[in-house]
């Protein structure tokens, strides 16, 4: 949904990208080509790369901030025992991006400096935390991806808490916005379901 509206100054990468980057399988050329076409672009002008990551049953977000030269780790369930493993996953992602973007075909201008995000520091801003028994980590990641391109400061907490309204807003947007080719079929199915409980007037 975000990539559909993106100017490609920000790259909103799919979860499959990080699975490949962290070594969970082979790297099919067709998959990389499809990701590049749908989610990426030339690397000359990109400012931020949003990478949702999955590690030990938890979603967190890494923002590769090229303007500030930082790898920003946003996690809604911080864990001292999981911290080192998550940081290793972030470093794997950075190395993979560097290897991928080392090819001059990613740049429109031959004199553009190649991206080397493996040299960036990992920043861990203070962010709102989910309740330990909740399953809101994916909603936090989606919310951060939607909102953080509007802000320069990663420590803003005003919009970070997940509420029932935001869960429903996200679900409605994912189903009904124009990026979803099946939205009209979904609406029709919902209407038919609702009509099945409606008593016809006499």
């Amino acid at each position: 949904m975000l990539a559909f509206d993106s100017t490609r100054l920000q790259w909103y990468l799919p979860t499959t990208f990080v699975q490949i980057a962290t070594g969970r399988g082979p790297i099919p050329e067709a998959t990389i080509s499809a990701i590049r076409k749908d989610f990426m672009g030339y690397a000359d002008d990109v400012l931020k790369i949003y990478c949702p990551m999955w590690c030990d049953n938890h979603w967190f977000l890494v923002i590769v901030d090229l303007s500030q030269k930082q790898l920003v780790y946003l996690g809604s369930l911080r864990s001292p025992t999981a911290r080192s493993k998550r940081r290793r996953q972030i470093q794997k992602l950075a190395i993979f991006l560097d290897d991928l973007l080392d090819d001059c075909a990613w740049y429109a201008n031959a004199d553009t400096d190649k991206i080397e995000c493996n040299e960036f520091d990992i920043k861990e801003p203070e962010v709102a935390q989910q309740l330990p028994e909740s399953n809101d980590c994916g909603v936090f990641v989606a919310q951060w991806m939607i909102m953080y391109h509007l802000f320069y400061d990663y420590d803003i907490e005003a919009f970070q808490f997940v509420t029932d309204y935001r869960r429903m807003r996200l679900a409605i947007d994912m189903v009904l916005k124009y990026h979803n080719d099946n939205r009209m079929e979904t609406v029709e199915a919902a209407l038919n379901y609702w009509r099945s409980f409606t008593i016809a007037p006499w």
Side-chain angles (χ1 to χ4, degrees):
M1 183 176 72
L2 292 167
F4 197 95
D5 291 327
S6 174
T7 61
R8 302 304 168 99
L9 294 177
Q10 291 90 24
W11 294 352
Y12 300 97
L13 299 184
T15 55
T16 49
F17 184 88
V18 173
Q19 289 173 342
I20 294 169
T22 54
R24 298 186 184 180
I27 306 174
E29 183 60 37
T31 301
I32 290 294
S33 297
I35 291 173
R36 179 175 182 177
K37 175 179 177 292
D38 294 337
F39 299 96
M40 303 169 88
Y42 283 117
D44 304 71
D45 298 319
V46 63
L47 300 175
K48 294 181 181 180
I49 305 173
Y50 293 79
C51 306
M53 301 190 73
W54 173 258
C55 182
D56 292 341
N57 298 315
H58 177 68
W59 285 107
F60 61 96
L61 181 65
V62 173
I63 303 175
V64 181
D65 189 327
L66 297 161
S67 61
Q68 298 189 50
K69 299 187 182 304
Q70 294 175 338
L71 301 169
V72 183
Y73 159 48
L74 302 173
S76 61
L77 191 61
R78 295 287 173 84
S79 166
T81 57
R83 183 174 182 269
S84 61
K85 185 173 182 179
R86 292 177 189 173
R87 288 175 69 92
R88 289 196 302 272
Q89 295 293 87
I90 294 169
Q91 290 164 346
K92 287 181 183 179
L93 168 67
I95 292 170
F96 181 81
L97 276 169
D98 284 356
D99 288 343
L100 186 69
L101 300 177
D102 191 52
D103 188 337
C104 61
W106 285 89
Y107 302 89
N109 301 309
D111 56 350
T112 299
D113 292 335
K114 291 181 178 178
I115 291 172
E116 295 184 2
C117 54
N118 186 47
E119 302 296 325
F120 296 174
D121 291 331
I122 298 177
K123 176 181 172 66
E124 301 182 42
E126 292 298 321
V127 294
Q129 298 291 285
Q130 68 188 71
L131 295 175
E133 66 275 11
S134 79
N135 293 311
D136 280 336
C137 56
V139 182
F140 272 96
V141 167
Q143 187 166 276
W144 287 328
M145 290 177 74
I146 291 168
M147 296 298 296
Y148 261 125
H149 72 282
L150 301 174
F151 299 97
Y152 184 78
D153 184 1
Y154 292 102
D155 292 303
I156 294 174
E157 294 192 15
F159 62 87
Q160 291 183 0
F161 291 98
V162 168
T163 63
D164 287 342
Y165 167 80
R166 285 177 173 155
R167 291 188 193 96
M168 183 59 69
R169 180 73 263 173
L170 179 62
I172 290 171
D173 284 347
M174 290 175 67
V175 172
L176 296 183
K177 282 205 170 180
Y178 44 81
H179 72 283
N180 181 6
D181 294 334
N182 299 317
R183 63 189 182 282
M184 295 313 299
E185 291 86 345
T186 304
V187 170
E188 187 60 33
L191 288 172
N192 288 336
Y193 180 78
W194 177 76
R195 290 181 188 121
S196 70
F197 292 95
T198 302
I199 301 174
W202 291 96

